[in-house]
Amino acid sequence: MSTETIEKKKESEPLFSKKNRKLLKDPLNDDNPITVQVLGICSALAITVQLKPAVVMSLSVVFVMAAGNIIISLLRNMIPQRVRIIVMLTVIAALVILVDQVLKAYLFDVSKQLSVFIGLIITNCIIMGRFEAFAMGNGVWKSFLDGVGNAAGYGVILILVSVFREFFGTGTLWGYSLIPDSWYMANGGFYSDNGMMLLPPMALITVALIIWVQRANNRKLIEEN
Amino acid sequence: MQELVNIFVRAIFIENMVFAYFLGMCSYLAVSQTVKTSLGLGAAVIFVLGITVPINYLLENFVLAEGALTWLGPQYANVDLSFLTFIMFIAVIASMVQLVEMVVEKFSPALYSSLGIFLPLIAVNCSILGGSLFMQERSYGNITEASVFGLGSGVGFFIAIVALAAIREKIRYSNVPGPMRGLGITFVITGLMGIAFMSFMGIKL
């Protein structure tokens, strides 16, 4: 009975009401999964050495999160509280296997490059975190928007970090060289790539700088200590 | 015996889950506010890693790997179930985490409420699945070596998270620039700790 009234109220709401747009928009800045909610850091560090894998990874996460949020939201009243983790992981693992197979079929070279990290989407805590915090207590459409929004927020940071790291680390972007060859010291120039940018610690420091810029522009996110 | 000590020390310092592979960062960053909660989470990770790695080792060697089912009979010698690795490993991990969650909720409600959402998140802590996958990749010789590796990785995570929590408790008294407070400075600290731990790389006992 109670769920029925909720359903009715939701249906009368316009599809892109202010509240629903907020669900989609907030994760891009105010409630970003990486810089504010602190979820999904591992892959942000691991695959941001180059831009291309980061973009493919972001798209895969958008798909897994949107579809997973819909499925969990449909099942939310049937999942016993005690075994919810296993149910969620099964859903995620099935979706990740789907993504893996599609990538293998149509984008084999990228899939080969990403192989380990596609598997690691299963343990990407951003997905589990949103299942727990949102899809378990909200309707299908809202969960879908929340999933797309959060995955997009994750993708934005991933792409930003990988642009920085690929450009300063190897002087290329999407595999294309941007620094003229004659600039390099080997050819008598003045420029040298910063190999440090390719090491994992620099990913952390790049994310820290992004956080700094974001919070300097958005002072309500500043923490107490 | 020396081999076991070697695996243990390597897992803690040289192949540290957090600093060498940057696995398990989510809970590492989120639950390192105070030393007390980080001790709880670190202990939970040691426990879960110490249990899941040997179980997954058995699963790998007696069920999943190619020809592992030979003990059932000679007609199973060609069965290769390794494509099920991910889902089997994650199922073992998830059920173990659920077990730990129930035990903690029952015996230490204070710890349970302070760990909050991050206890279920141990299941998706990359360091747990990472531990099992490294175990598979490095193909340890027997179950003792696998367990020692699991425990060592857990201890490495424990040391990392407790050290970070201790630094964060002290940094509360420092005048960090506003936008860097909290998460930002924690990333920088972890980056610097990671650079320091990189000096352990390449050391062999």
Side-chain angles (χ1 to χ4, degrees), chain A residues 35 42 82 123 125 200 204 225, chain B residues 22 26 98 124 126 182-183 187:
Chain A
T35 61
C42 326
R82 284 278 171 228
T123 55
C125 27
L204 281 167
N225 55 64
Chain B
F22 291 85
C26 310
Q98 206 94 59
V124 284
C126 336
L183 190 58
F187 270 98

Side-chain angles (χ1 to χ4, degrees), chain B:
Chain B
M1 190 62 210
Q2 201 203 343
E3 185 55 27
L4 293 183
V5 174
N6 194 6
I7 290 174
F8 193 65
V9 171
R10 281 182 70 87
I12 294 176
F13 291 106
I14 304 164
E15 286 154 359
N16 187 294
M17 277 291 174
V18 176
F19 296 125
Y21 296 105
F22 291 85
L23 294 177
M25 293 295 294
C26 310
S27 31
Y28 166 80
L29 289 169
V31 193
S32 54
Q33 301 281 358
T34 60
V35 171
K36 207 172 157 231
T37 48
S38 69
L39 283 172
L41 184 81
V45 168
I46 295 182
F47 181 66
V48 174
L49 262 175
I51 291 176
T52 55
V53 173
I55 291 180
N56 282 338
Y57 178 85
L58 292 178
L59 206 60
E60 161 78 10
N61 281 288
F62 290 103
V63 182
L64 293 173
E66 191 176 358
L69 282 171
T70 321
W71 56 274
L72 276 179
Q75 69 269 39
Y76 293 101
N78 292 323
V79 179
D80 183 7
L81 291 176
S82 54
F83 65 95
L84 288 175
T85 303
F86 276 119
I87 210 158
M88 292 304 281
F89 281 7
I90 206 75
V92 167
I93 289 166
S95 40
M96 282 302 137
V97 168
Q98 206 94 59
L99 195 74
V100 174
E101 191 184 354
M102 287 177 198
V103 170
V104 171
E105 189 179 10
K106 172 98 179 151
F107 293 106
S108 175
L111 181 63
Y112 181 76
S113 58
S114 66
L115 287 179
I117 185 178
F118 291 101
L119 200 55
L121 284 182
I122 288 186
V124 284
N125 187 327
C126 336
S127 65
I128 309 286
L129 184 62
S132 289
L133 292 176
F134 279 133
M135 173 275 295
Q136 186 193 31
E137 184 190 311
R138 292 176 192 156
S139 49
Y140 286 107
N142 54 48
I143 190 164
T144 325
E145 287 183 4
S147 329
V148 165
F149 167 74
L151 281 176
S153 303
V155 173
F157 184 87
F158 180 86
I159 289 174
I161 194 170
V162 172
L164 180 75
I167 294 176
R168 285 183 81 174
E169 277 194 356
K170 290 288 173 200
I171 214 152
R172 210 162 290 161
Y173 305 109
S174 316
N175 189 13
V176 179
M180 282 295 265
R181 276 179 207 160
L183 190 58
I185 196 70
T186 312
F187 270 98
V188 174
I189 293 169
T190 311
L192 295 178
M193 286 163 92
I195 293 174
F197 261 71
M198 280 170 74
S199 59
F200 286 115
M201 276 183 178
I203 295 176
K204 281 208 174 82
L205 267 192

Side-chain angles (χ1 to χ4, degrees), chain A:
Chain A
M1 184 63 207
S2 61
T3 52
E4 216 170 275
T5 50
I6 293 170
E7 293 289 317
K8 254 183 204 149
K9 219 186 280 166
K10 205 186 65 194
E11 264 171 72
S12 64
E13 212 179 301
L15 217 52
F16 281 102
S17 64
K18 206 171 172 199
K19 229 159 102 198
N20 284 349
R21 275 209 311 274
K22 207 168 139 58
L23 285 177
L24 204 55
K25 216 174 59 191
D26 261 6
L28 290 182
N29 187 6
D30 288 5
D31 200 18
N32 189 285
I34 291 183
T35 61
V36 181
Q37 299 177 49
V38 207
L39 296 171
I41 312 278
C42 326
S43 55
L45 298 170
I47 59 149
T48 51
V49 176
Q50 285 176 326
L51 181 58
K52 200 172 175 185
V55 170
V56 175
M57 181 74 173
S58 308
L59 292 178
S60 314
V61 171
V62 168
F63 167 74
V64 174
M65 272 216 70
N69 258 6
I70 290 174
I71 294 172
I72 293 294
S73 168
L74 283 171
L75 292 176
R76 69 185 188 278
N77 295 323
M78 280 180 258
I79 301 174
Q81 195 66 13
R82 284 278 171 228
V83 296
R84 65 186 190 285
I85 294 176
I86 297 171
V87 174
M88 289 173 183
L89 282 172
T90 316
V91 170
I92 302 174
L95 288 168
V96 169
I97 290 171
L98 210 64
V99 168
D100 191 33
Q101 298 297 324
V102 170
L103 283 182
K104 263 186 194 149
Y106 296 104
L107 282 169
F108 190 68
D109 50 333
V110 182
S111 150
K112 236 179 171 170
Q113 214 174 345
L114 271 174
S115 59
V116 192
F117 306 120
I118 290 293
L120 272 179
I121 295 180
I122 300 174
T123 55
N124 194 331
C125 27
I126 185 179
I127 293 172
M128 196 70 166
R130 289 324 290 174
F131 281 6
E132 278 275 314
F134 199 91
M136 281 299 275
N138 283 284
V140 174
W141 176 243
K142 281 201 166 114
S143 305
F144 172 74
L145 289 180
D146 182 78
V148 173
N150 275 286
Y154 165 86
V156 165
I157 299 292
L158 225 66
I159 289 166
L160 263 178
V161 176
S162 62
V163 164
F164 271 108
R165 289 183 72 193
E166 189 178 350
F167 182 71
F168 290 111
T170 56
T172 59
L173 221 48
W174 200 272
Y176 297 108
S177 183
L178 290 185
I179 311 273
D181 271 350
S182 57
W183 285 16
Y184 281 104
M185 280 187 191
N187 301 331
F190 57 90
Y191 187 82
S192 162
D193 286 329
N194 185 356
M196 186 91 182
M197 288 302 282
L198 301 177
L199 298 175
M202 284 313 288
L204 281 167
I205 291 172
T206 314
V207 176
L209 293 177
I210 291 172
I211 291 171
W212 195 345
V213 172
Q214 187 197 15
R215 292 190 182 181
N217 289 322
N218 196 345
R219 301 201 76 88
K220 68 173 182 290
L221 293 179
I222 292 176
E223 290 171 50
E224 279 296 303
N225 55 64

